[in-house]
Amino acid sequence: EVQLVESGGGLVQPGWSLRLSCAASGFTFDDSAMHWVRQAAGKGLEWVSGITWNSATINYADSVKGRFTISRDNAKNSLYLQMNSLTTEDTALYYCAKGGESWLDAFHMWGQGTMVTVSS
Amino acid sequence: QSALTQPASVSGSPGQSITISCTGTTSDIGGYNYVSWYQQHPGKGPKLLIFDVYNRPSGVSNRFSGSKSGNTASLTISGLQPEDEAEYYCNSYRSRNTWVFGGGTKLTVL
């Protein structure tokens, strides 16, 4: 069974940092692009960042570029999101999503999300 | 990065068909056939319904179908069932290796 389990969320103050993790199982992790997508309470989905299987292609939404860094460890079947200089606008539920072999593949599986709250 | 445009809500009775539109630009929907649709029930993660404009993953009912014309993609749900009541999101590849979602459409089954 394909599983994506996010962790690392929490309550932090503006300007602080947080590192999210996504543990993958049930599929060949190093064959898949992976993405982070967030959803503020009562709002829609926002693509945050993505990374191909070999980390050759990495990109970010303009709203997080320069502050967030995506990475992966294929040996540990894990995806990460380092979030720096957090603002209240970053408060959201953060989902990990599995793409396909290509960057252009849709997001076939999603985790349940980890909540990030930025508040003073 | 502006979102794709979806109607905020649609509704239909059981057994009826409904269509949700998703409008973008030539930089996303109009320029590529990488449009997908997702269903999200309250408190749950999204579920992929349609990928690459009209393809269904295995296990997704054939009551769900996708299409595209110009800068607008559409999701049609036929034979509406109560469990179809959910939020629906479109998504498209956008130039410069980014992805963009629609604002979401709440489907109410009357």
Side-chain angles (χ1 to χ4, degrees):
Chain A
E1 178 194 6
V2 173
Q3 252 198 327
L4 296 169
V5 179
E6 302 91 338
S7 61
L11 172 63
V12 296
Q13 294 185 8
W16 285 24
S17 298
L18 208 55
R19 189 193 195 208
L20 306 183
S21 299
C22 172
S25 61
F27 65 98
T28 306
F29 182 74
D30 55 13
D31 275 353
S32 299
M34 297 295 296
H35 300 269
W36 289 100
V37 177
R38 68 186 180 184
Q39 186 171 35
K43 302 294 185 182
L45 301 171
E46 180 189 13
W47 177 79
V48 172
S49 181
I51 184 170
T52 49
W53 67 273
N54 59 357
S55 304
T57 298
I58 289 175
N59 211 355
Y60 304 91
D62 286 347
S63 57
V64 307
K65 198 170 288 186
R67 300 187 299 121
F68 289 12
T69 302
I70 192 172
S71 62
R72 64 190 296 160
D73 185 337
N74 289 343
K76 294 183 178 180
N77 286 353
S78 293
L79 176 72
Y80 306 101
L81 186 68
Q82 177 66 42
M83 305 185 297
N84 298 332
S85 303
L86 285 162
T87 75
T88 55
E89 303 281 301
D90 297 316
T91 295
L93 185 64
Y94 283 72
Y95 291 104
C96 164
K98 172 190 176 306
E101 292 183 5
S102 164
W103 174 265
L104 298 172
D105 288 333
F107 310 154
H108 284 257
M109 289 295 301
W110 299 62
Q112 290 300 302
T114 185
M115 187 67 203
V116 172
T117 303
V118 184
S119 175
S120 55
Chain B
Q1 290 167 331
S2 54
L4 305 173
T5 301
Q6 297 182 233
S9 63
V10 297
S11 62
S13 300
Q16 287 186 333
S17 294
I18 63 95
T19 296
I20 299 171
S21 62
C22 172
T23 301
T25 69
T26 54
S27 295
D28 37 67
I29 292 176
Y32 309 93
N33 288 323
Y34 301 115
V35 178
S36 51
W37 289 89
Y38 302 85
Q39 176 191 61
Q40 186 179 34
H41 287 107
K44 302 289 188 181
K47 173 189 174 184
L48 177 66
L49 295 177
I50 297 288
F51 66 96
D52 295 350
V53 177
Y54 53 78
N55 292 298
R56 274 188 312 276
S58 60
V60 172
S61 170
N62 59 10
R63 297 186 300 105
F64 296 93
S65 61
S67 62
K68 188 187 93 165
S69 177
N71 296 339
T72 299
S74 299
L75 173 71
T76 297
I77 309 174
S78 58
L80 270 180
Q81 299 181 359
E83 58 265 33
D84 296 334
E85 185 160 298
E87 194 84 18
Y88 291 84
Y89 293 92
C90 60
N91 174 264
S92 174
Y93 173 80
R94 176 175 275 179
S95 56
R96 297 185 292 121
N97 278 340
T98 59
W99 293 90
V100 60
F101 283 93
T105 298
K106 181 175 174 54
L107 168 62
T108 301
V109 180
L110 302 170

